[in-house]
Amino acid sequence: MDIEASRRIRNPFLQTVYEHHTNPIWDRQRLTQQFPVEKWYSCDIQQFPEHLQHLFIQCCLDNQTEVFLDKSYEKSDWFFTQMWHSLAKVFLGFVMSTTSVNGLLGRGSMFVFSTNQFRTLLGISETWKADHLLDLGAGDGAVTQQIAAHFRQITTTEMSPTMQWRLGQKGYRVVNINEWAGPTCRYDVISCLNLIDRCDQPISILHDIHRSLSPGGVAIISLVLPFKPFVESGALQNKPSEQLNIEGRSWEHQAASFINNVLLPAGFTLQSFTRLPYLCEGDMSRPFYSLDDAVFIVKADSTGIEHQGWCNARTQDSIDL
């Protein structure tokens, strides 16, 4: 792209159009040249303890991920729509969270894993079905749709009112965030994707997930690494009241720390884990956004919570269904 030529264009709209036609990041065919696609899935498995190494599942860019990226590139070129979204976001951002703004405008859909990646992680076939899925913090339901065909009943939770509306549009049952973990509530699979690092009480949620799984059920838990937790409160981002003990600098060290310091003491047994890109639809600035996700498949130990000290910290600053 000729940067000087771009700077000489005074009109912001025309400048954006020019950049979309000259900057190689907007060229879908140059994806692997402009973005570290291989790094999205790479893992130095030797940095993990030996007993965890065989549980890592190597994924790669597959067809459904490519389709999501195709749509993201296409939507980012809808100039007038993107201009409207940018303008609306500025004003709505004063009174609404970013999540709620995105839900209202129908923008910013996320992608964590494809249907095939989900099947590989759980070790299930195309025809496998379970009774009940609970998707915590389901957003607009785009990720839920990737795995919905495997379940007879789907329940979701979501804090954002506009995202609740979007989930209702897709036909998903939405329950209050305080109602999903009742004494009689049991689920075959609980999906908790990128919620642990964006909620106020992650330890409490993990405890509720543990006691809400049906016998033999599994939970799918993901979080963005490096770990930087915050809680959306309107336009503000606050620190969570419960802190997770995640140490290390690299993706591998933090993933291992989450397993050993959080999941295992919480009474879970690790079945498999992987590294995936947490993708989000783009805007006028970028065709898409990407963060590094760690995805864990766990089962609840029959013995329950392993360490009493871990519980006390809450008060401090192949599937066989």
Side-chain angles (χ1 to χ4, degrees):
M1 180 183 70
D2 189 335
I3 297 178
E4 290 301 321
S6 177
R7 289 174 177 172
R8 287 195 295 269
I9 301 174
R10 303 294 184 95
N11 185 290
F13 175 74
L14 294 178
Q15 187 180 56
T16 299
V17 173
Y18 177 82
E19 291 181 357
H20 275 236
H21 284 84
T22 57
N23 192 326
I25 72 165
W26 298 100
D27 187 344
R28 175 66 176 87
Q29 303 307 314
R30 299 189 188 183
L31 172 70
T32 56
Q33 300 172 28
Q34 298 300 316
F35 298 96
V37 175
E38 287 189 7
K39 186 181 177 182
W40 289 352
Y41 304 93
S42 68
C43 170
D44 183 358
I45 198 63
Q46 298 304 319
Q47 292 191 41
F48 285 90
E50 190 172 339
H51 69 282
L52 295 179
Q53 293 180 11
H54 72 285
L55 297 177
F56 180 80
I57 294 180
Q58 182 65 61
C59 293
C60 62
L61 186 68
D62 65 4
N63 183 63
Q64 277 190 311
T65 311
E66 295 263 23
V67 170
F68 178 85
L69 291 169
D70 287 341
K71 292 180 179 178
S72 295
Y73 273 89
E74 179 184 355
K75 288 182 177 181
S76 65
D77 277 337
W78 296 351
F79 294 114
F80 291 106
T81 299
Q82 294 296 346
M83 286 180 66
W84 154 241
H85 285 173
S86 297
L87 182 63
K89 186 177 179 180
V90 170
F91 290 99
L92 292 173
F94 287 108
V95 295
M96 301 171 69
S97 68
T98 299
T99 300
S100 290
V101 172
N102 287 341
L104 182 63
L105 298 176
R107 67 186 296 274
S109 283
M110 305 292 192
F111 186 95
V112 179
F113 44 61
S114 67
T115 305
N116 284 335
Q117 288 166 346
F118 168 77
R119 291 169 182 159
T120 299
L121 288 169
L122 268 67
I124 59 176
S125 68
E126 293 183 11
T127 58
W128 178 88
K129 268 191 179 293
D131 183 48
H132 203 170
L133 166 69
L134 170 67
D135 193 355
L136 298 172
D140 64 357
V143 179
T144 316
Q145 286 181 305
Q146 299 290 340
I147 61 178
H150 285 291
F151 300 93
R152 300 178 185 91
Q153 181 181 357
I154 297 174
T155 299
T156 64
T157 72
E158 177 56 53
M159 285 281 291
S160 165
T162 60
M163 288 300 186
Q164 293 175 7
W165 170 56
R166 292 293 180 186
L167 289 167
Q169 284 185 320
K170 290 181 171 69
Y172 297 131
R173 174 174 175 253
V174 183
V175 300
N176 188 282
I177 59 171
N178 298 317
E179 296 176 352
W180 64 270
T184 61
C185 297
R186 293 294 180 270
Y187 309 93
D188 300 299
V189 175
I190 297 178
S191 174
C192 181
L193 303 178
N194 303 301
L195 177 63
I196 293 298
D197 52 347
R198 293 294 180 265
C199 67
D200 185 56
Q201 297 178 308
I203 296 174
S204 299
I205 286 180
L206 288 172
H207 175 72
D208 288 340
I209 290 173
H210 185 282
R211 66 187 180 90
S212 299
L213 282 171
S214 298
V218 299
I220 312 167
I221 300 171
S222 74
L223 72 164
V224 172
L225 300 178
F227 185 61
K228 297 179 180 179
F230 68 83
V231 183
E232 276 191 333
S233 178
L236 302 177
Q237 294 182 352
N238 300 321
K239 290 184 178 180
S241 62
E242 295 180 350
Q243 304 296 319
L244 297 180
N245 180 23
I246 298 179
E247 304 170 324
R249 289 190 173 184
S250 69
W251 184 92
E252 290 83 357
H253 286 160
Q254 288 203 355
S257 177
F258 182 67
I259 294 169
N260 291 321
N261 297 346
V262 179
L263 291 178
L264 298 185
F268 291 105
T269 299
L270 183 67
Q271 302 297 297
S272 64
F273 70 104
T274 192
R275 180 175 183 169
L276 293 171
Y278 181 28
L279 300 172
C280 175
E281 290 177 345
D283 49 29
M284 294 182 70
S285 300
R286 292 175 67 87
F288 64 89
Y289 292 89
S290 174
L291 295 171
D292 293 322
D293 236 3
V295 183
F296 307 90
I297 309 300
V298 297
K299 286 186 176 182
D301 287 342
S302 58
T303 54
I305 303 300
E306 184 176 318
H307 298 305
Q308 184 63 35
W310 184 87
C311 281
N312 291 340
R314 294 171 59 179
T315 61
Q316 298 173 3
D317 233 89
S318 73
I319 190 168
D320 58 359
L321 301 179

